[in-house]
């Protein structure tokens, strides 16, 4: 069976006359990202960038791969399958491997972390999967980094991966699956700048750690690239060391309300399950929100808020999990990219719900191609 999962970066034909948006035009209307003449609300934007030009990018990972002999173990982070975010994206990668590469559902096992658990508990979960013969084993979330290294050393013939992982001294049977979250966040920053009417835009991070700061950095750069005078208000639910910032919707709601009270009418969250609270605050205030990791407009667990979700930054954990399984089936881990970025469809943005009109999309696609071509370098650390 064949599955081609790469994304085409569509070349948009240049017309004889490019539509150019002046710096003082309103970008806040829902049907025209550039606002048209006579608008009084919205961010003052830079000139519209030239239409995207570039060849399609794609990847054939998983094409014609038979993974039916693999027994795949998946160790979820807190929240597990059904979190409408990070874990669900990982689960989608496994589901895709079952559908497209012949992995047998009965040969898979999923285990989930508990709140505030110890390293011993994480190791025990991974060790259970290893002892039961699952290979490969995917641990979802940076919190598994140390535990995975320890267990992998005990089971050198089995392959392990850690989504967002990092650790010194990792053995060769550990693969760290990293992403260019800042690149995808840049794109939804463009959307936020074009859709905001107050030109005050909010960011809610789950936990104040370098990983989530990447989301903040790219988002802020995307906003400022389009609307240099935009005001960005931001907050983190918890500080480093307290991971409940990813699992506490009520705190997410309080955090988002604080930004909305400051005038934010578009709020982007990188807060895991706490994002449900961000959506709740946005719906209550009748402002717009941007989701994260998976296409949250289509997630059943946040369906009550879909009317205010204008886009989501797609962190394609599903792609990374799927590709890691494919690489193991082919015994070719070197085929994996060093980072899952825009070039390999590792990050992106969603258009579900019809709130991203063609004009807005043309702006986003132009900046996307410039990032892929290296014309724009996206910050991975906040500038202030």
């Amino acid at each position: 069976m064949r599955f081609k999962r790469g994304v085409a970066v569509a070349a948009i034909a240049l017309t004889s006359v490019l539509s150019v948006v002046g710096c003082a035009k309103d970008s806040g209307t829902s049907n025209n990202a550039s606002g048209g003449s006579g608008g009084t609300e919205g961010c003052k934007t830079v000139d519209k960038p030239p239409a995207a030009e570039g060849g399609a990018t794609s990847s054939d990972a998983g094409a014609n791969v038979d993974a039916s002999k693999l027994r795949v173990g998946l160790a979820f982070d807190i929240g597990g399958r059904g979190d409408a975010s990070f874990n669900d994206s990982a689960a989608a990668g496994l589901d895709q491997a079952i559908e497209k590469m012949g992995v047998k559902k009965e040969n898979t096992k999923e285990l989930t972390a508990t709140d505030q658990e110890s390293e011993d508990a994480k190791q025990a979960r991974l060790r259970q999967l290893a002892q039961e013969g699952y290979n490969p084993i995917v641990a979802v979330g940076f919190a598994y980094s140390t535990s995975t290294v320890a267990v992998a050393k005990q089971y050198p013939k089995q392959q392990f991966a850690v989504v967002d992982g990092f650790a010194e001294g990792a053995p060769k049977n550990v693969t760290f699956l990293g992403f260019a979250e800042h690149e995808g966040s840049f794109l939804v920053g463009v959307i936020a700048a074009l859709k905001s009417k107050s030109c005050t835009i909010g960011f809610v991070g789950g936990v104040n750690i370098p990983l989530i700061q990447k989301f903040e950095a790219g988002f802020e750069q995307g906003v400022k690239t389009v609307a240099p005078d935009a005001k960005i208000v931001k907050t983190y639910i918890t500080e480093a060391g307290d991971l409940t910032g990813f699992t506490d919707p009520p705190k997410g709601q309080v955090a988002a309300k604080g930004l909305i009270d400051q005038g934010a009418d578009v709020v982007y969250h990188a807060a895991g399950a706490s994002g449900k609270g961000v959506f709740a605050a946005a719906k209550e205030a009748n402002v717009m929100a941007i989701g994260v990791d998976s296409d949250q407009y289509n997630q059943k667990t946040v369906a009550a808020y879909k009317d205010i979700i204008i886009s989501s930054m797609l962190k394609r954990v599903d792609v990374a999990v799927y590709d890691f399984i494919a690489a193991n089936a082919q015994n070719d881990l070197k085929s994996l990219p060093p980072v899952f970025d825009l070039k390999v469809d590792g990050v992106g943005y969603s258009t579900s719900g019809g709130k991203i009109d063609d004009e807005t999309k043309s702006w986003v696609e132009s900046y996307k191609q410039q990032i892929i071509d290296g014309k724009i370098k996206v910050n991975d650390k906040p500038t202030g």
Side-chain angles (χ1 to χ4, degrees):
M1 62 183 66
R2 180 176 180 85
F3 176 71
K4 190 167 185 176
R5 69 107 182 114
V7 67
V9 180
I12 302 175
L14 282 172
T15 58
S16 58
V17 179
L18 287 174
S19 174
V20 178
V21 178
C23 293
K25 291 194 176 179
D26 167 19
S27 64
T29 60
S30 60
N31 293 320
N32 181 359
S34 60
S37 61
T40 58
E41 293 181 318
C43 293
K44 293 181 180 179
T45 67
V46 299
D47 289 348
K48 183 180 178 181
E53 286 188 291
T57 62
S58 66
S59 171
D60 290 329
N64 300 319
V65 173
D66 178 7
S68 60
K69 295 181 180 180
L70 295 183
R71 303 185 74 234
V72 182
L74 199 58
F76 285 122
D77 203 351
I78 303 167
R81 186 186 280 264
D83 73 340
S85 187
F86 190 67
N87 289 299
D88 268 356
S89 187
L94 177 58
D95 293 344
Q96 196 176 68
I98 292 171
E99 178 184 355
K100 303 296 183 180
M101 289 191 289
V103 173
K104 297 176 182 177
K105 188 172 180 61
E106 61 269 24
N107 286 339
T108 68
K109 188 163 188 172
E110 300 175 5
L111 300 174
T112 303
T114 58
D115 196 11
Q116 300 295 318
E117 69 179 13
S118 66
E119 282 294 318
D120 287 344
K122 290 182 175 63
Q123 288 192 31
R125 182 175 304 110
L126 295 170
R127 194 173 293 111
Q128 176 186 343
L129 292 171
Q131 288 174 344
E132 293 178 4
Y134 290 95
N135 182 28
I137 296 169
V138 180
V140 185
F142 68 89
Y144 277 106
S145 298
T146 302
S147 301
T148 302
V149 169
V151 175
K153 289 179 179 178
Q154 299 168 2
Y155 297 89
K157 294 184 179 180
Q158 286 158 266
Q159 292 294 329
F160 297 78
V162 188
V163 177
D164 285 339
F166 55 90
E168 297 293 335
K172 293 182 179 180
N173 61 329
V174 174
T175 299
F176 294 128
L177 303 173
F179 299 82
E181 297 94 347
H182 50 308
E183 292 184 355
S185 295
F186 182 105
L187 300 184
V188 294
V190 172
I191 291 171
L194 293 172
K195 292 300 182 182
S196 175
K197 293 182 179 180
S198 69
C199 211
T200 298
I201 295 164
F203 171 80
V204 177
V207 182
N208 193 0
I209 54 176
L211 173 62
I212 305 304
Q213 289 168 6
K214 288 173 67 179
F215 292 82
E216 175 194 342
F219 181 65
E220 181 169 3
Q221 186 179 350
V223 170
K224 291 289 191 178
T225 296
V226 172
D229 295 331
K231 179 181 179 181
I232 299 176
V233 290
K234 49 196 176 185
T235 189
Y236 284 87
I237 298 172
T238 59
E239 292 301 312
D242 181 359
L243 299 183
T244 62
F246 294 129
T247 60
D248 197 329
K251 286 184 179 178
Q253 186 167 0
V254 171
K257 185 178 184 304
L259 303 184
I260 293 167
D261 287 346
Q262 295 178 60
D265 66 348
V266 181
V267 181
Y268 171 45
H269 87 85
S274 297
K276 296 177 185 179
V278 175
F279 294 149
K283 186 174 180 67
E284 182 178 3
N286 194 29
V287 301
M288 296 173 282
I290 296 174
V292 76
D293 294 335
S294 57
D295 185 351
Q296 295 201 288
Y297 179 89
N298 289 321
Q299 290 290 341
K300 293 180 180 179
T301 54
V302 291
Y305 311 114
K306 65 192 305 179
D307 58 318
I308 54 88
I309 300 174
I310 59 173
S311 183
S312 295
M313 195 288 281
L314 302 178
K315 179 174 176 177
R316 300 300 303 274
V317 178
D318 57 331
V319 169
V321 170
Y322 180 88
D323 285 4
F324 179 67
I325 294 171
N328 274 275
Q330 299 175 100
N331 194 28
D332 184 18
L333 292 174
K334 292 182 179 179
S335 64
L336 293 170
V339 62
F340 287 86
D341 57 12
L342 282 176
K343 290 180 182 178
V344 297
D345 194 27
V347 291
Y349 68 103
S350 67
T351 59
S352 299
K355 298 178 180 66
I356 306 301
D357 52 87
D358 289 344
E359 175 73 0
T360 300
K361 187 175 180 180
S362 70
W363 280 70
V364 179
E365 287 296 316
S366 176
Y367 285 118
K368 177 180 176 179
Q369 192 62 52
Q370 289 182 55
I371 294 169
I372 290 173
D373 293 342
K375 296 177 181 178
I376 293 178
K377 180 174 176 57
V378 184
N379 300 328
D380 61 3
K381 295 180 178 61
T383 56

